[in-house]
């Protein structure tokens, strides 16, 4: 299997992208894939922080530990490090593409859900489980692809 590097991106890098990072890395490891997954945020206000405690809790309830992750700010240099960049919503998509330096950078960027957006659970505690399940389903599809 070829080495693949994938970056997950959301707004603050504390809710959705850490879940996608943790879930996809967990599934890739289970399948014996040589994939390196990471995550970043288009905003910089949580840099260096752990994921939101609710994201940590829902991931843990599914056997995935994301507590060691730390938020980082998305910057143009990350285009050079990753093969694919999945963004959680259209605003993230726009913000990441704004930093693209060329067509090669732009071709790496994809909406995580081709037909929609991953809802941001930050404002509603009850949304973390459904968002986890939505992300998990998509991560399984990425593995199959």
């Amino acid at each position: 299997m070829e080495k693949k590097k994938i970056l997950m991106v959301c707004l603050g890098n504390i809710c959705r992208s850490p879940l996608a990072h943790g879930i996809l890395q967990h599934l890739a490891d289970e399948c014996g894939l040589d994939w390196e997954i990471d995550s970043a945020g288009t905003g910089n206000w949580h840099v260096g922080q752990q994921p939101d405690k609710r994201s940590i809790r829902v991931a843990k309830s599914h056997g995935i530990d994301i507590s060691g992750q730390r938020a980082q700010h998305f910057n143009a240099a990350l285009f050079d490090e990753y093969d694919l960049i999945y963004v959680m919503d259209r605003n993230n998509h726009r913000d990441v593409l704004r930093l693209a330096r060329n067509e090669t950078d732009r071709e790496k960027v994809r909406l995580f859900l081709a037909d929609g957006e991953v809802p941001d659970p930050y404002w509603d505690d009850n949304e973390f489980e459904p968002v986890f399940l939505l992300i998990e389903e998509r991560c399984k599809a990425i593995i199959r692809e």
Side-chain angles (χ1 to χ4, degrees), residues 74-86:
F74 185 85
N75 62 73
L78 294 174
F79 285 110
D80 297 329
E81 293 183 38
Y82 294 93
D83 305 308
L84 289 170
I85 299 170
Y86 285 106

Side-chain angles (χ1 to χ4, degrees), residues 17-36:
S17 58
L19 285 172
H21 169 181
I23 294 166
L24 188 58
Q25 188 69 67
H26 177 78
L27 293 171
D29 292 348
E30 280 189 337
C31 292
L33 300 172
D34 188 17
W35 289 10
E36 181 182 321

Side-chain angles (χ1 to χ4, degrees), residues 65-111:
D65 181 8
I66 64 170
S67 64
Q69 294 181 23
R70 295 295 178 267
Q72 66 175 327
H73 187 221
F74 185 85
N75 62 73
L78 294 174
F79 285 110
D80 297 329
E81 293 183 38
Y82 294 93
D83 305 308
L84 289 170
I85 299 170
Y86 285 106
V87 296
M88 297 296 133
D89 64 38
R90 286 177 184 83
N91 288 333
N92 305 145
H93 191 254
R94 180 196 65 230
D95 292 342
V96 168
L97 286 178
R98 191 177 293 141
L99 295 175
R101 302 158 298 186
N102 52 50
E103 190 58 31
T104 301
D105 288 354
R106 283 186 282 283
E107 288 174 359
K108 293 180 179 187
V109 183
R110 301 188 177 134
L111 278 170

Side-chain angles (χ1 to χ4, degrees), residues 3-67:
K3 173 108 175 143
K4 190 172 286 216
K5 292 183 75 174
I6 300 172
L7 185 69
M8 302 295 188
V9 179
C10 70
L11 181 60
N13 194 206
I14 60 168
C15 294
R16 297 171 290 174
S17 58
L19 285 172
H21 169 181
I23 294 166
L24 188 58
Q25 188 69 67
H26 177 78
L27 293 171
D29 292 348
E30 280 189 337
C31 292
L33 300 172
D34 188 17
W35 289 10
E36 181 182 321
I37 317 300
D38 205 347
S39 58
T42 56
N44 66 359
W45 48 91
H46 295 294
V47 169
Q49 294 179 15
Q50 279 187 307
D52 185 287
K53 65 183 187 297
R54 297 165 295 176
S55 287
I56 292 172
R57 185 170 39 245
V58 73
K60 186 174 183 174
S61 75
H62 290 271
I64 301 171
D65 181 8
I66 64 170
S67 64

Side-chain angles (χ1 to χ4, degrees), residues 99-138:
L99 295 175
R101 302 158 298 186
N102 52 50
E103 190 58 31
T104 301
D105 288 354
R106 283 186 282 283
E107 288 174 359
K108 293 180 179 187
V109 183
R110 301 188 177 134
L111 278 170
F112 184 73
L113 298 177
D115 59 348
E117 301 183 61
V118 177
D120 190 345
Y122 184 79
W123 302 107
D124 184 349
D125 293 352
N126 297 317
E127 287 300 309
F128 280 83
E129 180 70 20
V131 164
F132 178 95
L133 295 173
L134 177 67
I135 291 171
E136 180 183 47
E137 180 181 328
R138 177 63 181 123

